[in-house]
Amino acid sequence: EAQVTQNPRYLITVTGKKLTVTCSQNMNHEYMSWYRQDPGLGLRQIYYSMNVEVTDKGDVPEGYKVSRKEKRNFPLILESPSPNQTSLYFCASSLGGPPFYEQYFGPGTRLTVT
Amino acid sequence: DQQVKQNSPSLSVQEGRISILNCDYTNSMFDYFLWYKKYPAEGPTFLISISSIKDKNEDGRFTVFLNKSAKHLSLHIVPSQPGDSAVYFCAASPFLAGTYKYIFGTGTRLKVLA
């Protein structure tokens, strides 16, 4: 089944403790992206990757890191999480970047930083 | 600075009637627009898109209209069905400017009443 998977689905952590949220897709997609969803702010893009070893900032990259060493994986790294990074995170992938290619979203990871 | 705005946080419509969801944008560099639908506890799913060279695109019950001079797009759902009840996000991309990011709006919660 074609899908985007994220792990973990739920995570509660403390300020400053490094964490990684994994994202994997099995569709051989080139474009991958991370978003956060917050009440009243909608979805905001954190980082995106056009292909292996090619990443670029979205609108809210501060406090996050990404890497794209393999085509299928695009982990999101929070080196020193803070409470303002408490959010619902979505990974997405598409065959290519805009235009023309629809993004497929993962089920989301709910992160709470205390 | 919200470049993509959905000014109606919620909308209620009777089953069988037309639902019209609106979206305004401020960046004239946007040249590709999309609508996504999101159910609770799931990732967003792609609905329909439109390029800036068009003013209308149809897919079954869903039609997107683009008014470039007004920097406004709308999604029409006809006829509305209870299963359409979800949060709808519009999104835009300025890909012709060489940046392959997506900017999402804050979302409109549609409730279709049976």
Side-chain angles (χ1 to χ4, degrees):
Chain A
E1 180 192 352
Q3 59 184 351
V4 178
T5 55
Q6 297 178 225
N7 282 293
R9 295 289 312 279
Y10 303 90
L11 179 59
I12 301 174
T13 190
V14 295
T15 299
K17 186 176 180 182
K18 181 179 178 180
L19 67 92
T20 299
V21 184
T22 64
C23 173
S24 183
Q25 50 91 5
N26 62 359
M27 296 170 278
N28 201 34
H29 284 172
E30 294 198 343
Y31 186 93
M32 296 187 75
S33 184
W34 276 103
Y35 297 87
R36 59 179 290 175
Q37 182 186 2
D38 301 289
L41 296 175
L43 285 160
R44 293 179 293 166
Q45 192 173 40
I46 303 170
Y47 271 95
Y48 65 92
S49 169
M50 291 292 287
N51 212 327
V52 175
E53 304 292 2
V54 181
T55 62
D56 208 346
K57 296 176 182 178
D59 265 8
V60 288
E62 297 79 19
Y64 304 94
K65 282 176 60 176
V66 292
S67 69
R68 187 93 181 272
K69 293 184 170 53
E70 305 166 282
K71 200 170 187 179
R72 64 182 293 129
N73 296 322
F74 191 44
L76 179 70
I77 303 156
L78 285 74
E79 295 264 359
S80 182
S82 62
N84 64 13
Q85 292 178 298
T86 292
S87 188
L88 179 58
Y89 291 86
F90 290 100
C91 180
S93 74
S94 57
L95 202 54
F100 308 127
Y101 301 109
E102 64 178 275
Q103 291 185 90
Y104 293 83
F105 281 78
T109 294
R110 186 167 292 282
L111 172 66
T112 302
V113 183
T114 61
Chain B
D1 174 27
Q2 194 76 28
Q3 297 184 66
V4 177
K5 300 176 187 178
Q6 294 178 255
N7 292 318
S8 298
S10 64
L11 174 69
S12 289
V13 171
Q14 283 296 130
E15 180 180 6
R17 304 295 292 269
I18 183 172
S19 294
I20 300 176
L21 295 93
N22 294 304
C23 181
D24 297 296
Y25 62 96
T26 57
N27 190 338
S28 57
M29 300 294 285
F30 289 147
D31 35 43
Y32 180 59
F33 304 89
L34 313 91
W35 285 93
Y36 281 82
K37 177 168 76 172
K38 186 183 181 303
Y39 292 120
E42 294 182 12
T45 54
F46 171 78
L47 256 183
I48 193 169
S49 64
I50 188 167
S51 161
S52 61
I53 62 172
K54 294 187 169 184
D55 54 20
K56 178 182 173 181
N57 189 26
E58 278 183 87
D59 185 1
R61 296 186 297 115
F62 303 92
T63 303
V64 57
F65 295 92
L66 175 62
N67 182 333
K68 281 178 58 180
S69 59
K71 294 192 176 69
H72 177 83
L73 68 155
S74 61
L75 174 69
H76 292 209
I77 306 173
V78 185
S80 302
Q81 299 173 354
D84 295 329
S85 297
V87 176
Y88 289 78
F89 292 99
C90 66
S93 177
F95 77 96
L96 282 177
T99 175
Y100 301 99
K101 61 167 66 173
Y102 289 96
I103 313 294
F104 278 73
T106 52
T108 296
R109 183 177 302 277
L110 172 66
K111 189 169 185 179
V112 180
L113 307 167

